[in-house]
Amino acid sequence: GQLWRALTAAQMARLQQPLERILEAVYSMRDRTHCYILLDSLESVRRGGRVDRLMPTIDRVMRSLNLKALINVVNGELKLVGVARSYQKGLERLKLEMARIAPLERLAVIHTRRAEVARRMADELAAQLGFPREQVLVRETGAVLAVHAGAGVTAVFGMSKA
């Protein structure tokens, strides 16, 4: 989401657009961008210290029931969206969340060590949403998400059309 905003701001600045118009565009993009993350495990989140004291208990329950957490980022904070009984069901839930905010202007699938899963997700989302596959960004995540979320993460970012 931040990449899309930075590129848009740079392009608008290069075209000598007024600062007010650039800020308006960036804020609009921020408000229309949604991120949903499927975690394979809560271990890295727990070790990262970004959650409260209940995390060890929640982590044990989720591991014992083989549940996968679905989270999103709202105003810079992680929020639990729900849980899935398997990784595959979690992927299906990610697709439902993107369908809920469609039609989309931009779409990305980000992953840690799940390149094939991410490519398949991009193919399926493009087909389901009628979004051009060549415009779906598929990338391995950066260091921050990799460290805090661990291996096996699949995330989808979608920007609703204005």
Side-chain angles (χ1 to χ4, degrees), residues 76-101:
E77 291 186 30
L78 297 176
K79 302 285 184 184
L80 182 66
V81 175
V83 296
R85 289 206 169 260
S86 69
Y87 202 82
Q88 187 58 44
K89 288 183 180 180
L91 294 173
E92 294 301 318
R93 175 73 184 270
L94 292 179
K95 289 189 270 188
L96 286 173
E97 294 297 337
M98 286 295 105
R100 188 180 56 76
I101 64 165

Side-chain angles (χ1 to χ4, degrees), residues 63-132:
R63 273 189 284 136
S64 67
L65 297 174
N66 195 29
L67 298 175
K68 308 301 177 190
L70 289 117
I71 59 174
N72 69 348
V73 182
V74 178
N75 298 324
E77 291 186 30
L78 297 176
K79 302 285 184 184
L80 182 66
V81 175
V83 296
R85 289 206 169 260
S86 69
Y87 202 82
Q88 187 58 44
K89 288 183 180 180
L91 294 173
E92 294 301 318
R93 175 73 184 270
L94 292 179
K95 289 189 270 188
L96 286 173
E97 294 297 337
M98 286 295 105
R100 188 180 56 76
I101 64 165
L104 299 177
E105 183 177 318
R106 298 190 186 197
L107 179 61
V109 180
I110 310 299
H111 67 93
T112 56
R113 300 186 195 163
R114 296 247 178 178
E116 186 54 39
V117 170
R119 278 191 292 276
R120 223 174 337 157
M121 173 66 89
D123 292 343
E124 292 170 8
L125 278 170
Q128 174 185 333
L129 302 174
F131 195 90

Side-chain angles (χ1 to χ4, degrees), residues 1 3 20 25 33 41 54 65 90 95 99 102 110-111 117 140 161:
L3 173 64
E20 295 79 23
T33 300
S41 164
L54 291 176
L65 297 174
K95 289 189 270 188
I110 310 299
H111 67 93
V117 170
E140 181 109 19
K161 286 188 177 180

Side-chain angles (χ1 to χ4, degrees), residues 21-41:
R21 183 175 281 159
I22 294 171
L23 290 173
E24 182 180 299
V26 168
Y27 292 145
S28 171
M29 292 174 78
R30 179 198 62 197
D31 294 342
R32 294 181 290 119
T33 300
H34 304 269
C35 168
Y36 295 91
I37 305 166
L38 175 62
L39 302 173
D40 192 37
S41 164

